[in-house]
DNA sequence: AATGAATGAGCCTTCATTCAT
DNA sequence: CATGAATGAAGGCTCATTCAT
């Protein structure tokens, strides 16, 4: 698991990263002062500068570690989910939904504050962003080649699917109407419809029951 | 067209709003200083305070006027597009795509900076946001009742459709691969697939030709 | 007179320059905070940034204006003091002594804080520093050519003379033992001795009476 | 040689003093951070606090040890150079020139940063400064009494001589035009001229040959 | 209709310093 | 001996805002 040893050995740093994540997520990068972050972490203002050279570097670290968590898990999941692009997409969408919900704040920062990085650091983050997009695009395009996805606009369809998955952290609330499992269900459903997956041979195990609404 | 008389009679105000739109869009509300805005408008710093009581008010004005433009046009379009929810949705999605592209900067501000409003002003903007969402939701739910849209998850489907339409201002570039008309085409296509519109009776005029890729 | 119109039209700026001069002189550039300067000027901290882009720019302005005052007057004095290098040197040394005493604080800043300028600004100040040194060197070398100064080491002699003149602002106090006029007397005397001016034909008017010690 | 045993037994301390000397010399006391010094010494920040109670104390130590080196050697040299004030002055000026060149950085700190000491420590350093000045003044005044120096302004002449000697560390560079030996020659020459030493009985051994310019 | 001058609060960052280990 | 972790104070600078003109 990522960051475990660091979390254990450098609690101050981990506390600051968590605080930065929370604060950047709710106030935005520019709206969050390092005083806000330090206070949220229960440390002094200067502590941030002991662990991070600058506010920009803290943001970069946050974004990159979130990307790396995402990419690491996504790769693992793709390798476990067989050759069929449909099962791969199913697993991938379910993972993205889970990840965007579980790492809601990190995802918000990654999705909305990356462009606040200065050019040099932006490039570093952008590389991961591209890798992340290519991962999904790769699965879809393979599915199109295999004839499983029949959308006439694969490129834009990928963007649309990614867009509605990425919007999750913007509105999801733990006390909301739907559970993460139900959201997995719905979002994979949407993705398959949008990509115009051939309907008859749906190989997804839980696809039959749409999942009851939570009480 | 909204704001014409104002534009004619108070050029300074219009220049400032345009500058604020551009600046908030590219730097974010907190990252944009009123000096940035005044400079972009070619006016002095104090001019902004002649036209707007505060930075917050400029943001509110920007967001509300964009919402009002959107809502005004959207209502008109719905009224012109018959009773059938499918033709209404078609017209509505096409309008949203056009609007998000044509008012790219205003939309970015509206979509990403609304939450920077203080509670009092947020409420004012939120009302329009809700009206805007209800408008789309209304069309879809009517379509579901009419049996034209067969998605099992209408509420979430609306959110998904809105999400991918709203992501347009985040990546659209005038020198991009696809023209606005092509994007209209694709996004209505996606919306109909995602909502699981009954395929045989597609009444959309331009739906047959997917639109050639621009050279 | 330098700066008169500015002094009259922008009193805040002049007050800040005076305060910066005094503060840099007593605490050094790095030891003086802009809060110190603003307080000394009776203005707010931010006022400094209304008139100067940065602390470095305030230092540069201070140094350059002092240099320019010096160079302007020095040139005028040389033109008024005939062709003979001895009378020129006499006038010049007397002026330097007067200037270093009258502009004690500005001179301290100029002499000790110039090297705190960043490379870009340092170059600008250095040009004036060189002009200033060349001015004196020119007079001495002409005197050597004319045979009036017989020192075997003209270059180093110039440096020595400049050095002891420039040390004036480091120790001079208004309540000291010697008046400015007496110091003029002594320092020209020293300069002539050090340069080994031919003794018999001393043309300096006041050279005969060494000036009584003040009570 | 002073500090040998300490240098051998406490290399960290010596490294820090050297680093402090270099750093204070180039950046000034206030412009030098203790991080700069520790880094220059290749030690950790806290190491400085192991050897010195504070930054002020490091400065004081630096200044006092430089003064003590100077005074110790100066006294020894005076005792070796006979009764005649002229030979004493010759030896003393030559020593000062050598010292200011060899201990260029220490001298810069001593001459320019002493006034950054807080009042309590300033007093300690000031005592040595006075001792140092009295030493030179004593020689000159004795020479005046003996009739060897005929300057009408002995007090100010001392200041002038000290001033040009002390300016050496401000401009001397090892790759400069003149060797230390040549500078000894010139500066004693200047001192004798400025003090108006009786010309005929010059007893200085090397005074005849002004010293060739280095290639 | 618009501006120049000025401000207080707050920004990110660096400082000298401490202390447990 | 020496360090890593942490801090309060202060650093230079920018902020949104005001107000007389």
């Amino acid at each position: 698991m990522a960051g475990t040893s660091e979390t254990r050995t450098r609690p101050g740093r981990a506390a600051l990263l968590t605080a930065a994540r929370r604060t950047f997520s709710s106030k935005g990068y520019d709206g969050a002062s390092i005083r806000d972050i330090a206070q949220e972490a229960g440390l002094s203002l200067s502590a941030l500068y002991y662990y991070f050279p600058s506010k920009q570097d803290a943001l970069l670290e946050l974004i990159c570690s979130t990307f790396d968590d995402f990419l690491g898990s996504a790769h693992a999941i793709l390798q476990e989910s067989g050759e069929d692009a449909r099962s791969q997409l199913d697993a991938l969408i379910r993972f993205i939904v889970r990840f965007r919900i579980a790492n809601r704040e990190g995802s918000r920062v990654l999705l909305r504050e990356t462009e606040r990085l200065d050019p040099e650091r932006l490039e570093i983050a952008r590389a991961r962003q591209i890798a992340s997009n290519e991962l999904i695009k790769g699965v879809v395009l393979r599915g199109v080649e295999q004839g499983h996805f029949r959308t006439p606009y694969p490129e834009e369809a990928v963007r649309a699917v990614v867009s509605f998955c990425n919007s999750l952290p913007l509105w999801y609330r733990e006390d909301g109407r739907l559970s993460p499992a139900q959201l997995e269900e719905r979002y994979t459903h949407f993705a398959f419809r949008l990509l115009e997956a051939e309907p008859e041979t749906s190989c997804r195990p839980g696809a039959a029951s749409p999942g009851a609404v939570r009480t």
Side-chain angles (χ1 to χ4, degrees), chain A:
Chain A
M1 198 59 79
T4 299
S5 81
E6 176 179 275
T7 305
R8 233 179 262 137
T9 54
R10 305 178 72 179
R13 191 173 202 273
L16 283 166
L17 271 179
T18 299
R21 183 160 40 235
R22 185 139 49 211
T23 313
F24 287 156
S25 167
S26 65
K27 301 192 171 186
Y29 174 75
D30 287 308
S33 82
I34 62 166
R35 273 165 187 85
D36 293 335
I37 297 170
Q39 192 172 21
E40 175 85 25
L43 287 172
S44 81
L45 193 170
S46 342
L48 203 150
Y49 286 91
Y50 182 75
Y51 291 108
F52 303 98
S54 71
K55 193 188 179 190
Q56 280 275 316
D57 284 296
L59 176 58
L60 180 62
E61 165 87 25
L62 213 50
I63 289 173
C64 284
S65 69
T66 304
F67 262 128
D68 290 342
D69 285 356
F70 179 87
L71 285 167
S73 300
H75 275 122
I77 276 169
L78 281 191
Q79 285 190 324
E80 293 166 5
S81 58
E83 289 290 298
D84 191 306
R86 287 167 300 182
S87 65
Q88 286 197 331
L89 188 78
D90 182 81
L92 191 53
I93 298 289
R94 287 176 184 278
F95 165 68
I96 294 178
V97 169
R98 278 199 309 277
F99 187 91
R100 290 283 174 245
I101 289 175
N103 303 282
R104 201 153 84 257
E105 289 172 338
S107 294
R108 279 178 59 99
V109 175
L110 177 154
L111 293 166
R112 304 185 74 154
E113 310 301 330
T114 295
E115 57 192 291
R116 299 297 160 229
L117 289 169
D118 58 34
E120 198 182 348
R121 293 185 179 84
L122 183 54
E123 209 175 349
I124 298 170
R126 206 67 101 182
R128 287 163 167 83
Q129 197 181 55
I130 289 168
S132 180
N133 286 336
E134 290 302 316
L135 198 105
I136 304 165
K137 203 199 282 188
V139 171
V140 170
L141 293 188
R142 218 171 320 120
V144 169
E145 280 173 27
Q146 292 172 354
H148 298 311
F149 304 142
R150 297 171 307 188
T151 177
Y153 317 117
E155 298 251 350
E156 288 77 37
V158 168
R159 226 201 277 267
V161 170
V162 168
S163 290
F164 66 67
C165 289
N166 284 348
S167 76
L168 262 166
L170 299 184
W171 57 264
Y172 178 84
R173 295 184 52 195
E174 266 170 18
D175 58 351
R177 201 166 46 85
L178 298 175
S179 70
Q182 290 171 320
L183 287 166
E184 275 186 45
E185 193 54 42
R186 281 147 178 75
Y187 278 57
T188 46
H189 182 90
F190 294 153
F192 275 78
R193 293 292 164 175
L194 200 149
L195 293 169
E196 304 176 36
E198 42 190 2
E200 64 277 14
T201 59
S202 180
C203 55
R204 289 164 297 126
S209 60
V213 171
R214 266 201 283 185
T215 41

